Structure formats: structure tokens, C-alpha cells
Amino acid sequence: MLYLNKSRKINLISNRNLESRKTALKLKEKFTQRGFIISEKYNPDAELNICVGGDGAFLSAVHKYKFTNIPFIGINTGHLGFFQEILPENIDTFISKYINKDYTIEEISLVSAKIHTKKKTFYLTGVNEVVIKGMKSKVIHLDLSIDGNHLEKFSGDGIIVSTPAGSTAYSFSSGGSVIYPSLETLQITPLSPINSKAYRSLQNSAVIPGSSIITIEPENRYINSILVVNDGIEFSYDNIQQIDFTMPSKKIYKLNFDKNMYWNNLKNKFL
């Protein structure tokens, strides 16, 4: 049966592995049969972005599409797939629920990093996390402040600043807490902190309000030996003086077809 949805447009993004390409083709055929217009390049007039692959494909699409307000949904052909909630065998159910508007729209908070160097300021935005670490796995020393209040002189491999969505990613693997997605918080998770007579660093993560500003200042000898890693992509800057982390008002949006999906996902992926 054909549905008259010819003005309705969908962006379809897929990674290149065989299973993803087969699933994307199936999606395109089924949505086209129902009258949707499917674009494999970004169409700003689309009503939905469908990402086929793993979490990497989801994050790549969000960054590539510059944190668009068009909602996302993920079809999981990867391994973990925490963002990718729909399995390929459930495509028909997904399409039926989508057409019948049997879903909610979930807001996903982001993290912003404002990187001050001697000559210029750079801006990054992350879905999961922004990480400050030493180049070539060197130990680094960083002054960490919250809203202008000095908290610690950190020594270790680095610091993760993550969103609630990112709390189940790198931060979780590094001993951070799981934060429910609707909570507007940022989490500071230390990477291999040194705790000795010479150095005193927090050993556990700290969860702070999303309205707070986290400031990291490297010791002068480390200003040219720091990597900034944004959702897995590495950046390096000369003469870093200070990095400010905030939770911006900007959000991205994701469809949710099951109110219990988060807890089911958490159990199925990690326990």
C-alpha cells in the first residue's frame, strides 16, 4: 500500500560496511514505497536524519550536519550502538511507528570547549565528551577550577569532560558515573590520576551543574604538548593558555520509540 507523503523528506546516512549498505537500501525502498523522498546527501528541509551503522556513524553525522535541529534516529549495524536503538530486523515496526507518530523526541545536551591560545580562540562542540590529555601519552599537570574556584592541580594522563549522553562512553570506561540523559550536568573524569606525596589529584569523577564553567589551565611547560580530543577526533593547538567548558543552550534531538529504552540499553550493553 502506498502512502501519500510526497512532500516529506528524510536524510539517510550510512557507513560503508556491507550490512549497513544493505540496510540503508532496504530503508530507502520501504520509505519510498510510502511516498517519502529519501536524500543520501544532507537536505535542510528534511524532517528526519536516519543514521545506519554504529555510534561512530551517529556522531560523525551529527558533526557533519553541524548539530542540526532535525531529529536523528539510529539503525544499529555496529557492535555497541548505544545511540543506535533500532535493529535491522525491526525496520518495519520502526517505519510504522514513525508514520503513526508513536514516539517522543528526546533532547541531547552538548558540551562546548573554548580554547584560548596566545594568539587566537578556538571553539569545539561535543556530543559525548571533550578530553584534555598529553601528547604521546605524557603525564600532564593541569589547574582545574569550577566557576573561578580552584579545585585541584591535576597530575595524570588527562581529564574527560563529558555530557550525560557521553557518560556511557569514554568516561564510563574510565570509572565515571552513568548520568541519566535528561539531567543537565557535566562530568569531570580523571584519566590515571597521580596521588602521591608530590601530587594530589581527585581519584573519582565529579558531577557538576550544566550552568557551571569548568576551567583548565596547563602548566607553562605543557602549553605545546596537549591534545584536545572531541568525540574521538584529535586537535592540537600551539600555546594553550586556558580551556573553558560549558553546556551550551544548543541541543540535538533524537527519536525515542520506547520510554524504557535507556534502561534496557544500559542493561543489555553493559551487564
Side-chain angles (χ1 to χ4, degrees), residues 86-122:
I86 308 298
L87 296 174
E89 56 265 33
N90 296 330
I91 283 176
D92 288 328
T93 302
F94 152 59
I95 294 174
S96 176
K97 285 189 171 186
Y98 182 70
I99 290 173
N100 292 318
K101 297 186 177 180
D102 184 13
Y103 58 82
T104 58
I105 297 179
E106 174 186 343
E107 292 184 344
I108 297 179
S109 296
L110 306 171
V111 57
S112 290
K114 189 175 182 180
I115 302 151
H116 305 273
T117 69
K118 282 186 177 179
K119 294 184 177 180
K120 195 173 179 180
T121 299
F122 300 88

Side-chain angles (χ1 to χ4, degrees), residues 104-110 164-165 180-184 249-256:
T104 58
I105 297 179
E106 174 186 343
E107 292 184 344
I108 297 179
S109 296
L110 306 171
Y180 194 74
S182 63
L183 298 176
E184 294 196 348
S249 57
K250 174 69 178 174
K251 298 180 187 296
I252 60 170
Y253 304 91
K254 187 166 72 70
L255 299 192
N256 188 338

Side-chain angles (χ1 to χ4, degrees), residues 4 18 38 42 70 78 80 95 118 133 139 191 218 232 243 258:
L4 299 178
L18 180 60
I38 302 299
Y42 181 68
I70 301 171
L80 187 60
I95 294 174
K118 282 186 177 179
K133 61 197 308 185
V139 169
L191 289 171
I243 305 174
D258 179 357

